[in-house]
Amino acid sequence: MRTRALQYLYLQKPVSTIVFLCLLSVLPWAATNSFSTKGEPREAAVAVSMLESGDWTLPKVYADEFAYKPPMMHWLETIASLPGGEVTEFSSRLPSAIAFTVLLACVLLFFGKRVRFQEAFIATLLLLTCVEIHRAGLAARVDMLLTAFTVTGLFAMYRWEDNLELKGLPITIPILLGGAILTKGPVGLVVPLFVFAVYIAMLRRYRWTKIVKSLVYVAVSSALIPSVWYIEAWRMGGGEFADVVLAENFGRFFHLQTPGINYELGHENGAWYNFLTLAAGFVPWTLLLVISFFGLKYKKPAGRFAEWIADIWRGILSLDKIRLFSLVASVCIVFFYCLPSSKRSVYLMPAYPFIALFIAQYLLIFIERHSRVMRIFSVVMATIAAVVVAASVLQMTGALDLNILSAQYLSKPSQLMTVQAVAKSLSPSAIVLSVLALVAAMLITVCYQIWRKSNIKMLYSTIFLMFALNLFIDGVVMRGVHSEGSAKPFATELRRDFPIDRDNIFVVNNLRKYANLYGLNFYLGNCFHNIDIEQPASGYFLAAEKDIDAIAAERAHYVFTVVRTSERYFPETHGRIVLCRFQLR
């Protein structure tokens, strides 16, 4: 990389460049994409309750339910909503967007001072454009905030050992790990301590008493502030709160039965699931790694298997400190999340920065020696981009109709709805044309670098092509999909056509049997009441269409009359939603 423009990007203003790219990749779509899944409006509704009730400890949400997770994310959402006076899609996603930006800036600063700067810069760009990290930066969920606190907390503990040899205790460590606890619970402390304990043990520089004492100091100091919230929340929520805490933090990990809560913990998978989702989360760079494996030369290990393992172990112990720390963090985090029964791809996100460093190092070494691999990958990505641009232009000009084409191969209403939403989003507009122009410009740049056969420039241009494709996916495709699957239009319709208010709309709240309507609850102002608790004489009732018959049969003392059925299928209920009038028999 020798051109002045690229040198300026990664040498003169690297952190500013990363911050700008992060904000550009998430902020424009944080406000324009509606909620269409259950997770985001469920978290945002907690902020609505905090803002309206003033209860920042254990506010009630969806039909007398309180939040499953600690309140750090909800506090930040509420603070972001204060200037506008209401919780919006933008204000609820802003904490994740800022955490995403801060995380990547810290990754670049931390690694950039300890490894070859180009490795650190490429590792940060891989994080910026990989599927898992990118989508988490645009979601009103706790996962990106937890990742930012966990990773920066690990960075702070590394500096504590490297600079101070575990003497004293920098205040940044309990602040960051305390933030992690207040974001997701004890796992925010356990995971970093597990990583750090293994790392300092492998350094073989400290006695076990010193290691244990250091870990105890970190644990106690980090838990002080979160314990204040836990005690106060337990005082307010009592046994119900204790049941949720035990289920979320111990039931998931130890595969326990959780009769004290009204929902299934879910997400149960084998250990293989973590490795599958890790590969999927690093797309498209996983594809480059797979292609590169065909260019490697393999040779049979010399000596016995035990000797081969011993050689690998000695090689690991001989690594420089930053690579040893990154290896330990990667392995320990993935291993830790293989233990609980509940597994989700986002749990592994704290390992991504450390894995990205090794991927960047591998790519820089490999592509200089095997230029064909880089060219093949660049050609594949350029082909995908060319298809995207061509299909979009054809759809906008009317030469191609995605709805007619998809009807020949798809039959499920939800699939057809998704294609219809994508086709609708490709209508000519300033946003669509601007993003397509950027994709086309990056495509031309990649093709030029392929022709020039400059490996490192091919890598950088392909990274920025992926960045442009992410903008297309978020700003065009997913904007249409979110809009089509959102409960916002149905909420507007219900307000317009029926005299519903904060006191007369009811639901059931039993996730073990029925779907909760978190999106509709958010867009109707977090006003749902639990029909089983309040036992009203009459009112309006909302439920998934597939559940209403069973719900009515269980509550035979009421007469339910369907007065409106949504036209759309909603992803969170896998079907339509019905509004009923009900009254006592």
Side-chain angles (χ1 to χ4, degrees):
M1 190 171 70
R2 292 290 183 267
T3 62
R4 292 182 179 179
L6 292 177
Q7 283 182 336
Y8 182 82
L9 283 177
Y10 92 100
L11 289 178
Q12 301 302 318
K13 299 288 183 180
V15 177
S16 299
T17 299
I18 291 299
V19 169
F20 172 76
L21 292 175
C22 288
L23 296 177
L24 177 62
S25 68
V26 293
L27 281 188
W29 327 122
T32 57
N33 290 354
S34 301
F35 293 146
S36 63
T37 60
K38 64 181 180 181
E40 288 190 286
R42 183 178 62 195
E43 304 295 343
V46 182
V48 173
S49 184
M50 285 183 175
L51 195 63
E52 293 180 349
S53 68
D55 181 358
W56 287 46
T57 304
L58 201 66
K60 290 288 186 177
V61 290
Y62 196 95
D64 295 312
E65 176 182 283
F66 51 77
Y68 302 147
K69 301 176 182 68
M72 177 60 76
M73 180 67 178
H74 311 129
W75 288 344
L76 296 178
E77 288 177 330
T78 307
I79 292 170
S81 303
L82 287 175
E86 64 174 341
V87 180
T88 63
E89 294 96 337
F90 178 79
S91 65
S92 58
R93 288 171 174 150
L94 188 59
S96 290
I98 293 176
F100 171 66
T101 304
V102 170
L103 171 66
L104 266 63
C106 289
V107 167
L108 180 59
L109 287 169
F110 180 77
F111 287 134
K113 294 178 180 179
R114 293 167 176 84
V115 300
R116 191 156 58 113
F117 189 79
Q118 194 173 49
E119 289 181 24
F121 192 65
I122 291 176
T124 307
L125 291 177
L126 297 182
L127 290 174
L128 173 65
T129 52
C130 76
V131 169
E132 195 69 72
I133 298 295
H134 172 75
R135 72 174 181 174
L138 193 57
R141 304 291 298 271
V142 303
D143 306 297
M144 180 50 69
L145 187 63
L146 174 66
T147 299
F149 276 127
T150 301
V151 173
T152 53
L154 285 169
F155 289 167
M157 287 194 287
Y158 176 91
R159 288 192 294 267
W160 179 37
E161 188 285 323
D162 192 43
N163 298 334
L164 301 176
E165 297 181 339
L166 305 181
K167 297 174 183 177
L169 183 64
I171 193 172
T172 53
I173 294 175
I175 289 175
L176 292 170
L177 297 188
I181 298 171
L182 282 171
T183 301
K184 193 67 181 285
V187 71
L189 175 64
V190 173
V191 171
L193 282 183
F194 175 49
V195 171
F196 191 61
V198 174
Y199 168 66
I200 56 179
M202 291 183 67
L203 289 178
R204 297 178 296 178
R205 296 178 55 186
Y206 304 98
R207 295 180 178 178
W208 283 104
T209 53
K210 177 69 172 178
I211 294 174
V212 171
K213 184 165 52 173
S214 300
L215 296 177
V216 169
Y217 285 161
V218 172
V220 172
S221 60
S222 300
L224 282 177
I225 294 178
S227 65
V228 174
W229 174 81
Y230 272 101
I231 292 171
E232 180 61 17
W234 175 72
R235 187 187 66 80
M236 295 175 64
E240 186 181 358
F241 171 76
D243 287 340
V244 172
V245 170
L246 292 174
E248 289 287 331
N249 295 287
F250 299 98
R252 289 186 187 276
F253 195 88
F254 294 107
H255 308 232
L256 302 177
Q257 297 296 319
T258 54
I261 60 175
N262 69 345
Y263 61 94
E264 299 287 350
L265 294 176
H267 312 300
E268 293 189 4
N269 289 286
W272 58 268
Y273 180 81
N274 281 346
F275 299 97
L276 182 63
T277 56
L278 194 62
F282 264 108
V283 168
W285 311 115
T286 310
L287 177 60
L288 178 54
L289 293 177
V290 171
I291 295 173
S292 72
F293 293 156
F294 293 97
L296 295 175
K297 293 182 179 179
Y298 301 94
K299 59 180 180 179
K300 187 177 180 180
R304 298 178 181 177
F305 179 76
E307 294 175 352
W308 181 59
I309 294 297
D311 288 339
I312 292 177
W313 181 248
R314 283 191 292 269
I316 290 173
L317 294 179
S318 66
L319 290 171
D320 60 83
K321 292 178 69 173
I322 188 59
R323 298 191 196 282
L324 177 62
F325 181 70
S326 299
L327 180 62
V328 169
S330 303
V331 173
C332 287
I333 293 170
V334 174
F335 170 76
F336 179 87
Y337 285 111
C338 285
L339 300 178
S341 57
S342 177
K343 295 178 178 64
R344 294 181 63 221
S345 60
V346 292
Y347 294 169
L348 303 178
M349 280 170 37
Y352 274 63
F354 305 101
I355 297 173
L357 179 66
F358 290 109
I359 295 177
Q361 180 187 16
Y362 172 78
L363 292 180
L364 284 173
I365 295 173
F366 189 87
I367 64 177
E368 288 296 335
R369 301 175 183 175
H370 302 83
S371 58
R372 182 179 298 179
V373 169
M374 190 65 232
R375 284 201 300 274
I376 292 173
F377 176 72
S378 296
V379 167
V380 170
M381 295 305 299
T383 302
I384 293 173
V387 170
V388 167
V389 173
S392 301
V393 172
L394 291 174
Q395 174 68 30
M396 284 189 290
T397 58
L400 174 69
D401 191 328
L402 292 176
N403 293 319
I404 296 176
L405 184 64
S406 62
Q408 301 176 21
Y409 304 99
L410 303 176
S411 58
K412 292 184 178 180
S414 58
Q415 296 173 337
L416 293 171
M417 185 191 75
T418 300
V419 175
Q420 183 182 7
V422 173
K424 186 178 179 180
S425 69
L426 288 172
S427 302
S429 66
I431 291 178
V432 174
L433 295 176
S434 299
V435 173
L436 277 178
L438 180 61
V439 174
M442 292 298 100
L443 172 60
I444 293 170
T445 303
V446 170
C447 292
Y448 176 70
Q449 297 302 339
I450 293 172
W451 177 70
R452 288 282 305 273
K453 298 182 180 180
S454 175
N455 294 332
I456 190 63
K457 292 180 182 178
M458 264 193 284
L459 176 60
Y460 275 105
S461 60
T462 306
I463 288 174
F464 283 102
L465 175 61
M466 186 60 205
F467 176 81
L469 286 173
N470 280 341
L471 291 181
F472 175 81
I473 293 170
D474 294 330
V476 180
V477 176
M478 294 309 299
R479 189 159 63 97
V481 172
H482 285 309
S483 177
E484 194 67 24
S486 174
K488 189 174 185 178
F490 191 50
T492 302
E493 177 185 331
L494 296 182
R495 281 204 192 95
R496 182 193 64 207
D497 297 342
F498 298 94
I500 59 176
D501 55 43
R502 300 189 64 86
D503 299 319
N504 68 352
I505 190 159
F506 296 86
V507 293
V508 295
N509 189 2
N510 186 353
L511 278 171
R512 291 186 185 272
K513 298 178 66 175
Y514 307 116
N516 277 0
L517 314 178
Y518 289 109
L520 200 56
N521 176 61
F522 174 79
Y523 286 116
L524 286 174
N526 190 36
C527 63
F528 288 0
H529 299 274
N530 193 319
I531 192 172
D532 297 321
I533 294 177
E534 301 197 14
Q535 295 289 319
S538 63
Y540 288 94
F541 185 83
L542 282 162
E545 185 180 35
K546 61 185 176 63
D547 295 335
I548 188 62
D549 290 340
I551 291 172
E554 291 174 352
R555 294 156 184 80
H557 55 291
Y558 284 118
V559 176
F560 291 87
T561 304
V562 176
V563 294
R564 182 64 54 88
T565 302
S566 66
E567 295 181 0
R568 296 179 177 182
Y569 282 75
F570 294 99
E572 62 179 324
T573 61
H574 304 290
R576 293 186 174 93
I577 297 174
V578 296
L579 174 71
C580 303
R581 283 194 184 98
F582 71 92
Q583 60 184 12
L584 288 170
R585 290 186 183 275

